[in-house]
Amino acid sequence: MNRIENLAVAAAMLLCSITAVGQDYQIEIAASGLDHPWSIAWLPDGRALVTERPGRLRVISDGELLEAPIQGLPDVFAASQGGLFEALPDDDFATNRLVYISFAHGTPEANATRVISARLEGMRLVDPKILFTATPPKDTPVHYGGRMAFLPDGTLLIGLGDGFDFREQAQRLDNHFGKIVRINTDGSVPEDNPFVDIENALPEIYSYGHRNIQGLLHDAETGMIWQHEHGPRGGDEINLIRAGENYGWPVATHGIDYSGAIVSPYETRPGMVDPLLVWTPSIAPSGMTLYRGGLFPQWTGDLFISALAGRHLRRVELVDGRPKEQEIMLAGRGERLRDVRTGPDGALYVLIDAEDGKVLRISPNQP
């Protein structure tokens, strides 16, 4: 990014105001009794799949959380931040019944993010296939990433973390730490990935220089790929992802280490892409949706980000692909928010990260 672009981004950050406005929506509990829910996604028949981090896949059907979880999940490494992450139905689920599942796999001494596919038959996953396992394995139970998103060509993006102790590896192309990878849904590597012909580079890599990716989506209307990631003490980022780009971590960052030490003296560097929006202090963004539902026309095209440390939902207005004003929502609840998605009914669904976690449904106030 050149100097003029840097100045434009800096100006946008300064102009990006934050408000907490009067509530023009209502909140209801769509489901409760969930153990640290991590993601939610809908099947064509209207049922919702909700992952629980300890390793269960639950179903909400006709407004009720079914007591029995879906069977057939692989063993997950459930420790600290590790566990079951996302369950993402195939775009052609009605025909092939495939679900893609990301999770922490392995042992305390050697664990990594893994993605499988499996067919959902009734309440059981069958015919599981390993599509991707991050390499090399690590001995830390944190910074896995785990979010996934489909692109229009049917390929799958997977966001990964730097394992916390391996941040320098985010700048290298011979490992998966701090990367977004792109694979075909059979686990093979697309021939047009940006590093397929680079010696010693892992061909799955799509972008690099990330810390811990917790939000990832493709907007079909604009073609943009939006991503957010955790900084350390500050420096949380929203980025627009482009193939082959370096997003800076840990060479360029707005955050400092938890010890108070400087991670890097640089907030921007030549050849590295600057974030479009930075949060300092950290809000720990943890999920994201770009709203194109029918219930809130005034929010069309805006990003919604759930926050763990910030304990709120944040609406980020987008104007010409750039963040502008922000609105803080749900702050009064004081709850850690793990994910936010747009439901097929146009409502917003928010996951509460707790041992007695919940799914909240946000819809317009009734007259």
Side-chain angles (χ1 to χ4, degrees):
M1 182 174 289
N2 62 37
R3 184 174 183 271
I4 293 175
E5 289 174 314
N6 285 337
L7 291 173
V9 170
M13 290 178 181
L14 290 173
L15 291 171
C16 191
S17 61
I18 301 173
T19 60
V21 301
Q23 183 171 306
D24 56 356
Y25 52 85
Q26 62 182 7
I27 304 166
E28 57 188 311
I29 297 175
S32 59
L34 291 155
D35 190 353
H36 294 283
W38 210 90
S39 76
I40 185 169
W42 284 264
L43 300 175
D45 62 8
R47 291 181 297 160
L49 301 179
V50 181
T51 60
E52 294 178 304
R53 197 181 68 222
R56 289 177 294 274
L57 181 56
R58 308 291 298 276
V59 176
I60 300 174
S61 180
D62 295 325
E64 298 291 333
L65 177 67
L66 303 186
E67 182 175 351
I70 288 174
Q71 302 298 306
L73 276 173
D75 291 336
V76 305
F77 174 60
S80 187
Q81 296 175 7
L84 180 62
F85 302 137
E86 188 158 12
L88 182 64
D90 192 277
D91 287 342
D92 197 25
F93 177 87
T95 300
N96 60 30
R97 307 198 65 79
L98 286 175
V99 179
Y100 301 85
I101 298 167
S102 59
F103 59 99
H105 162 79
T107 66
E109 295 76 26
N111 59 84
T113 304
R114 172 170 283 185
V115 173
I116 68 165
S117 66
R119 292 197 328 275
L120 180 59
E121 301 291 352
M123 289 291 288
R124 177 173 288 275
L125 293 169
V126 299
D127 195 22
K129 293 182 173 60
I130 298 171
L131 304 182
F132 172 81
T133 305
T135 187
K138 58 189 180 64
D139 58 1
T140 58
V142 291
H143 287 207
Y144 293 92
R147 296 291 181 190
M148 301 182 289
F150 283 112
L151 295 183
D153 61 3
T155 58
L156 181 66
L157 296 179
I158 307 165
L160 303 170
D162 68 354
F164 190 81
D165 285 346
F166 311 97
R167 63 191 185 195
E168 292 80 7
Q169 300 301 313
Q171 286 295 313
R172 296 175 57 94
L173 296 176
D174 60 356
N175 66 79
H176 290 131
F177 290 120
K179 310 298 193 297
I180 293 176
V181 299
R182 173 176 173 249
I183 61 172
N184 294 313
T185 53
D186 62 0
S188 62
V189 175
E191 294 180 355
D192 59 346
N193 266 5
F195 301 109
V196 290
D197 295 322
I198 304 300
E199 186 177 0
N200 298 323
L202 297 181
E204 303 89 0
I205 295 174
Y206 191 75
S207 65
Y208 65 109
H210 303 291
R211 186 170 182 267
N212 189 24
I213 296 167
Q214 294 289 288
L216 185 63
L217 65 85
H218 173 265
D219 179 25
E221 186 162 315
T222 64
M224 294 177 173
I225 301 170
W226 291 94
Q227 172 260 19
H228 67 57
E229 61 188 74
H230 288 182
R233 288 177 57 186
D236 298 340
E237 299 179 358
I238 287 184
N239 293 294
L240 271 178
I241 300 301
R242 297 188 296 268
E245 296 283 11
N246 180 353
Y247 288 82
W249 176 257
V251 175
T253 176
H254 290 252
I256 62 174
D257 214 338
Y258 295 108
S259 66
I262 299 297
V263 175
S264 170
Y266 305 110
E267 294 181 350
T268 184
R269 294 296 290 161
M272 298 180 179
V273 180
D274 292 339
L276 295 184
L277 183 62
V278 173
W279 288 298
T280 299
S282 173
I283 66 170
S286 53
M288 180 167 57
T289 190
L290 195 149
Y291 188 78
R292 296 203 183 278
L295 294 185
F296 296 99
Q298 71 274 26
W299 292 344
T300 298
D302 291 347
L303 289 173
F304 286 81
I305 294 98
S306 48
L308 292 166
R311 297 176 183 257
H312 63 255
L313 181 67
R314 188 168 292 228
R315 181 177 68 86
V316 178
E317 179 189 24
L318 295 180
V319 178
D320 297 327
R322 292 293 183 268
K324 295 297 182 182
E325 293 196 5
Q326 300 179 51
E327 176 187 355
I328 293 175
M329 306 164 62
L330 309 187
R333 301 181 66 91
E335 296 171 306
R336 287 166 51 90
L337 308 187
R338 171 59 70 179
D339 197 14
V340 56
R341 300 295 171 112
T342 306
D345 58 355
L348 287 171
Y349 289 80
V350 179
L351 303 188
I352 304 301
D353 178 47
E355 289 184 1
D356 183 17
K358 303 176 182 65
V359 179
L360 305 182
R361 180 179 183 269
I362 301 175
S363 60
N365 279 330
Q366 297 301 312

